[in-house]
């Protein structure tokens, strides 16, 4: 009888296009819709109403451009993610918010009106959105050694992320990068598990600030420890070493009640993390007591059967049984749903497993307040790239600069009456100072968003009485200049596309440096890069050397340090190699690096 009355309510619910909760869902009939009911009871009530298809929907995450209009409703998918392909025709805050609301309204038109949780890689600010405030990548944040700053960055990131309709970020990356040849080194706060753990305060900023989003500790486990720094490779370590180096940041994240954990593409001694019931069920959910939900990485369960190109019953069965609660199956969401249904009906995935996954996911949806506030708060949309947010980013840039050499105190640069020649391919290129994971997945050269380049920062901080001359390749310099600033380093890359065997300066940078050095003017090098580089042979010709990492949109923070408005305070987050051949090189391994972990001069 009860079932029939629920069906009647459901018909009323789905028949209405614009939800008006109070009228449609009498509280007595649907405790899960009542915010006054404790979350665990709301979850139980809702679970009791759900069909198997609806439960499987909650465990599924599609990339939003891979679903046709209406398919969020018809498939009852529980989550979407946004990547470059998901970008609305105009990349700006309002269109992103409009798109999110449109998708959310489709979810609210399902039988039980369970809202979507919509995720994005907001890994240094909400950096997929043109006009957002983009912070230094994690390697620079690690250099600040400032956990309170990381917390504040988390708060601002949550505000800008929520302002475009995302309730979830796939951040922070808690990888402990042990080999700088790895293309994701810049996503790591440090090679030191202690430093990475200390920066998990960003989780509090994301999840507990005024505008909270769900955070993700990723990638569990051992992503930064693969052999030769090969992305998605094999981490060959004893269990004791794995626990000592790679587990502590996740322990700390769980202690801070991180809402989700993303599994890693890598293997541990030949076993995929996505198929490791020991590390996921036993260690993470059991031993560590993780009470959030586990998300798989992009099409990563596809690989379980040894073939990464298609999704099979084995991939789904073993992945879900090994502990994935929600599967990131970008374009294959419908296939995932039908495969998982068959596995459940065949008794190869238990209903207990399905209910456990749903309980974990729904608990977070309730805790986030998504049932009460499913749509975008447009007051937050207006804050993207606001002056106070950019000020915080500039502070982060300032604190992240690491001064590694300062012969004859050539720094700080004088402001009055100085004549400064600025050169280098990274001096006036916003895209380069953002790095990968910026507007697009790989990042790009050029003015991809609004920001201040290092050159523009130098001009504004130096003030009107200082002569600033710029030439990208260094041509035109002569002995009339008192100092030359060369802003050189890497171009953007992400993930495996950034893996390198060696890390030398490129030919353009070497040619620029040669011109500057030939003039006899003292040269200050600012290295914009996602990791340490092989510079030992060039360093003797430089008077001063600053590691700027990937500073983001606020290049003036670099200038604040060059001109002494902020005394350098950053400390190396990574041991600086003496040569590429020395990789991997880490604190305590007995090797003789160029600069040790924690090194950093000041004025
Ligand atoms: C990558 C994702 C990325 C997407 C962009 C995938 O191959 O693994 O990280 O966001 O491509 O379309
Ligand atoms: C990356 C993750 C990212 C996901 C979604 C994957 O390729 O490894 O870090 O969160 O794509 O874009």
């Amino acid at each position: 009888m009860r079932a029939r009355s629920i069906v009647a309510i459901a018909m009323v619910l789905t028949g209405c296009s614009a939800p008006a909760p109070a009228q449609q869902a009498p509280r007595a009939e649907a405790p899960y819709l009542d915010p006054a009911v404790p979350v665990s009871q709301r979850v139980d009530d809702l679970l009791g109403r759900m069909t198997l298809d609806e439960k499987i929907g909650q465990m599924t995450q599609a990339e939003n451009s891979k679903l046709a209009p209406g398919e969020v409703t018809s498939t009852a998918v529980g989550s979407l993610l946004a990547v470059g392909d998901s970008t609305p025709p105009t990349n700006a805050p309002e269109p992103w918010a409009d798109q999110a609301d449109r998708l959310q309204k489709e979810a609210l038109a399902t039988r039980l009106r369970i809202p979507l949780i919509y995720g994005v890689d907001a890994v240094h600010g909400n950096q997929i959105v043109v006009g957002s405030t983009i912070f230094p990548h994690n390697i620079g944040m690690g250099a600040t050694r400032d956990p309170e700053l990381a917390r504040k960055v988390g708060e601002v990131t949550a505000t800008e992320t929520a302002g475009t309709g995302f309730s979830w970020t796939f951040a922070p990356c808690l990888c402990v990068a042990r080999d700088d040849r790895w293309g994701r080194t810049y996503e790591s706060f440090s090679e030191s598990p202690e430093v990475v753990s200390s920066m998990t305060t960003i989780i509090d900023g994301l999840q507990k600030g005024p505008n909270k989003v769900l955070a993700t500790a990723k990638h569990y486990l051992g992503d930064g420890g693969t052999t030769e720094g090969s992305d998605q490779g094999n981490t060959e370590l004893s269990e004791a070493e794995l626990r000592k180096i790679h587990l502590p940041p996740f322990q700390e994240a769980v202690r801070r009640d991180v809402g989700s954990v993303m599994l890693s593409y890598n293997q541990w001694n030949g076993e995929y993390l996505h198929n490791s019931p020991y590390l996921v069920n036993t260690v993470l959910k059991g031993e560590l007591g993780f009470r959030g939900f586990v998300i798989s990485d992009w099409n990563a369960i596809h690989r379980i059967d040894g073939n990464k190109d298609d999704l099979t019953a084995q991939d789904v069965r073993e992945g879900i049984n090994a502990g994935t609660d929600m599967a990131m199956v970008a374009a294959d969401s419908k296939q995932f749903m039908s495969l998982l249904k068959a596995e459940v009906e065949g008794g190869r995935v238990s209903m207990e497993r399905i209910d456990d996954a749903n309980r974990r996911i729904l608990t977070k949806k309730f805790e986030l307040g998504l049932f009460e506030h499913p749509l975008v708060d447009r007051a937050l949309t207006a804050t993207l790239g606001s002056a106070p947010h950019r000020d915080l980013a500039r502070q982060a840039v300032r604190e992240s600069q690491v001064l590694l050499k300062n012969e004859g105190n050539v720094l700080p640069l004088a402001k009055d009456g100085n004549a400064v020649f600025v050169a280098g391919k990274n001096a006036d290129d916003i895209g380069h100072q953002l790095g990968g994971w910026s507007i697009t997945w790989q990042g790009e050269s050029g003015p991809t968003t609004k920001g201040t380049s290092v050159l523009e920062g130098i001009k504004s901080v130096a003030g009107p009485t200082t002569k600033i001359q710029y030439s990208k390749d260094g041509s035109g310099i002569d002995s009339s200049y008192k100092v030359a600033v060369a802003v050189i380093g890497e171009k953007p890359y992400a993930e495996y596309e950034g893996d390198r065997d060696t890390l030398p300066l490129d030919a353009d940078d070497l040619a620029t440096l040669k011109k500057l050095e030939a003039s006899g003017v003292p040269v200050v090098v600012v290295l914009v890069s996602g990791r340490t580089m092989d510079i030992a042979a060039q360093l003797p010709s430089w008077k001063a050397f600053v590691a700027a990492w990937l500073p983001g949109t606020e290049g003036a923070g670099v200038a604040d340090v060059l001109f002494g408005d902020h005394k350098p305070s950053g400390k190396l987050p990574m041991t600086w190699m003496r040569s590429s051949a020395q990789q991997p090189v880490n604190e305590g391994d007995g090797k003789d690096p160029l600069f040790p972990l924690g090194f950093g001069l000041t004025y």
Side-chain angles (χ1 to χ4, degrees), residues 323-552:
T324 284
D325 298 305
M326 183 190 285
M328 186 188 288
V329 281
D332 299 330
S333 57
K334 285 174 269 182
Q335 196 191 347
F336 171 81
M337 292 184 203
S338 64
L339 288 170
L340 182 53
K341 189 174 186 185
E343 291 308 298
V344 175
E345 286 173 344
R348 295 175 296 273
V349 173
S350 70
M351 263 327 281
E352 289 70 44
R353 179 74 269 275
I354 300 294
D355 284 344
D356 170 52
N358 271 267
R359 213 170 245 117
R360 289 170 177 272
I361 294 162
L362 294 171
T363 298
K364 293 301 161 190
K365 288 190 174 184
F366 283 116
E367 287 178 354
L368 279 168
L370 287 172
F371 284 78
E372 287 70 54
H373 306 286
L375 302 181
V376 185
D377 175 352
R378 299 299 168 126
L380 303 184
T381 316
T383 71
L384 270 87
S386 68
H389 291 181
R390 289 183 187 275
D391 284 348
L392 180 68
R394 180 169 172 175
Q395 181 193 342
V397 176
R398 254 185 245 138
E399 291 189 28
S400 68
Q401 304 303 293
V402 183
L403 179 65
L404 293 165
K405 179 177 179 181
N406 194 16
E407 206 177 289
N409 293 328
V410 63
L411 292 178
L413 303 175
K415 288 187 185 177
D416 294 322
N418 204 349
V420 182
F421 193 92
V422 180
K425 69 171 189 283
N426 290 350
D428 196 24
D429 195 313
I430 297 279
H432 287 189
Q433 70 193 44
L434 301 178
W437 293 111
S438 301
I439 311 301
T440 57
W441 179 39
Q442 290 294 319
E444 278 170 56
S445 299
T448 53
T449 189
K450 189 176 166 232
T452 303
S453 72
V454 175
L455 174 67
E456 289 165 338
I458 287 175
K459 285 181 179 165
S460 73
V461 171
T465 64
T466 299
K467 178 180 173 191
I468 307 288
Q469 182 65 41
Y470 167 66
S471 142
K472 185 171 174 181
D473 67 1
S475 51
I477 189 164
D478 61 47
S479 56
S480 70
Y481 293 92
K482 293 190 183 158
V483 64
V485 177
V487 190
I488 58 173
E490 291 189 307
K491 291 180 184 170
Y493 53 80
E495 299 192 47
Y496 44 85
E497 297 207 14
D499 285 359
R500 303 279 182 268
D501 293 332
T502 57
L503 294 162
L505 295 177
D506 67 22
D508 287 349
D509 286 345
L510 292 172
T512 304
L513 288 170
K514 204 172 164 191
K515 282 185 202 139
L516 300 180
E517 284 157 11
S519 71
V521 173
V523 177
V524 172
V525 169
V526 175
L527 190 74
V528 172
S529 67
R531 49 190 154 189
T532 72
M533 296 187 75
D534 193 343
I535 47 96
Q538 287 80 38
L539 185 62
S541 339
W542 307 345
K543 288 285 180 240
F545 174 35
V546 176
W549 315 111
L550 296 170

Side-chain angles (χ1 to χ4, degrees), residues 33 106 127 286 383 456 581 584:
L33 291 171
E106 282 200 33
Q127 84 289 321
T383 71
E456 289 165 338

Side-chain angles (χ1 to χ4, degrees), residues 15-77:
C16 282
S17 52
Q23 292 163 10
Q24 292 177 356
R27 286 185 173 187
E29 294 292 344
Y32 78 94
L33 291 171
D34 182 353
V37 171
V39 166
S40 63
Q41 288 174 34
R42 296 177 80 180
V43 171
D44 286 342
D45 175 63
L46 178 52
L47 262 182
R49 296 167 192 267
M50 292 168 78
T51 63
L52 177 59
D53 286 321
E54 286 163 339
K55 290 177 181 178
I56 287 173
Q58 290 303 308
M59 297 171 67
T60 309
Q61 182 181 68
E63 189 265 294
N64 67 243
S65 75
K66 305 297 187 294
L67 293 180
E71 283 192 330
V72 169
T73 312
S74 63
T75 64
V77 67

Side-chain angles (χ1 to χ4, degrees), residues 223-242:
D223 51 353
T226 58
T227 303
E228 296 180 353
S230 167
D231 192 40
Q232 310 184 355
N234 190 12
T235 297
E236 297 168 275
L237 287 177
S238 69
E239 181 166 349
E241 288 169 310
L242 185 76

Side-chain angles (χ1 to χ4, degrees), residues 81-83 121 123 170 184 187 218-219 231-232 262 265 297-298 328 437 441 495-496:
L81 90 151
V83 296
D121 291 284
V123 300
F170 308 125
R184 307 193 78 159
E187 296 186 59
K218 75 183 188 185
H219 310 81
D231 192 40
Q232 310 184 355
M262 188 186 291
Y265 281 118
D297 203 345
W298 176 282
M328 186 188 288
W437 293 111
W441 179 39
E495 299 192 47
Y496 44 85

